[in-house]
Amino acid sequence: MEFSIRRVRESDGSKIIGIFNYHAGNSLAAYPVETATLHLFDQLRETTCGTSFYVIEKDQSEVVGFGLLKEHHPSAAFCRTADLAYLISPGFRNQGLGSMLFDVLINDAKKMKIVTLLAGISSLDEESITFHRKKGFGECGRFKKVGIKHGKEFDVVWMQKFI
């Protein structure tokens, strides 16, 4: 198998929503409890910093993940800060794809003169918290017991990295 990363295309919308809905229904990596529609794809594109929205393709044909830098806040006062978001399809996790995507997003952030990256992660998603720590993120805040999903309360852990 060969994996590559490319900028998102309009035709990727349903594939991205499929990955998102898998995680929304089966994990705490995506918070919604309702099924997302293509409207979410449009929202993601609208909040993307520049053109920093990518997919990971297997063998140049199957989308197996996506990631983007999102505006942290619409005010120009926050132009040097972005939220990082990415999801990998089940069966393709723990193969280094998240790291590949992370590196591309970091390079984009540097080119856009972004100096602070943020990630809001469910306290029950230990795999994601560990991944971000390995990538140099540290916990910078925590909203306690703000979410409930699959019958479990969770905190939102905010992690931050300066680049």
Side-chain angles (χ1 to χ4, degrees):
M1 283 185 285
E2 185 177 312
F3 296 98
S4 58
I5 295 175
R6 64 164 171 79
R7 293 203 190 275
V8 73
R9 299 180 192 135
E10 181 74 31
S11 60
D12 297 322
S14 62
K15 296 167 193 159
I16 287 170
I17 296 304
I19 294 168
F20 183 88
N21 282 332
Y22 171 84
H23 284 284
N26 298 286
S27 76
L28 290 164
Y31 298 138
V33 294
E34 66 282 340
T35 301
T37 66
L38 279 175
H39 180 66
L40 175 64
F41 178 67
D42 294 334
Q43 288 178 316
L44 291 173
R45 289 190 319 172
E46 288 170 12
T47 61
T48 298
C49 293
T51 58
S52 193
F53 191 177
Y54 296 91
V55 295
I56 301 170
E57 280 187 319
K58 180 185 98 168
D59 300 327
Q60 297 184 345
S61 61
E62 180 185 357
V63 173
V64 299
F66 69 94
L68 65 151
L69 293 175
K70 298 188 316 183
E71 293 177 2
H72 175 67
H73 192 280
S75 172
F78 296 96
C79 67
R80 299 180 330 141
T81 303
D83 291 359
L84 191 64
Y86 35 81
L87 291 170
I88 308 295
S89 293
F92 294 95
R93 296 173 61 131
N94 300 311
Q95 296 183 33
L97 299 178
S99 291
M100 284 174 47
L101 192 52
F102 179 83
D103 292 344
V104 170
L105 295 171
I106 289 286
N107 286 335
D108 277 3
K110 288 177 180 177
K111 289 176 189 172
M112 290 185 275
K113 305 206 183 321
I114 291 170
V115 297
T116 305
L117 291 176
L118 299 172
I121 305 166
S122 165
S123 59
L124 300 176
D125 190 351
E126 287 296 328
E127 185 177 0
S128 185
I129 291 170
T130 299
F131 175 82
H132 284 84
R133 279 198 179 112
K134 286 180 182 176
K135 294 299 181 185
F137 282 76
E139 185 173 328
C140 62
R142 182 180 287 253
F143 298 140
K144 295 181 183 239
K145 297 183 180 183
V146 294
I148 187 165
K149 190 166 178 188
H150 307 303
K152 298 177 184 174
E153 281 187 340
F154 63 90
D155 303 346
V156 173
V157 177
W158 278 97
M159 300 188 81
Q160 181 178 37
K161 178 181 176 73
F162 297 106
I163 55 172

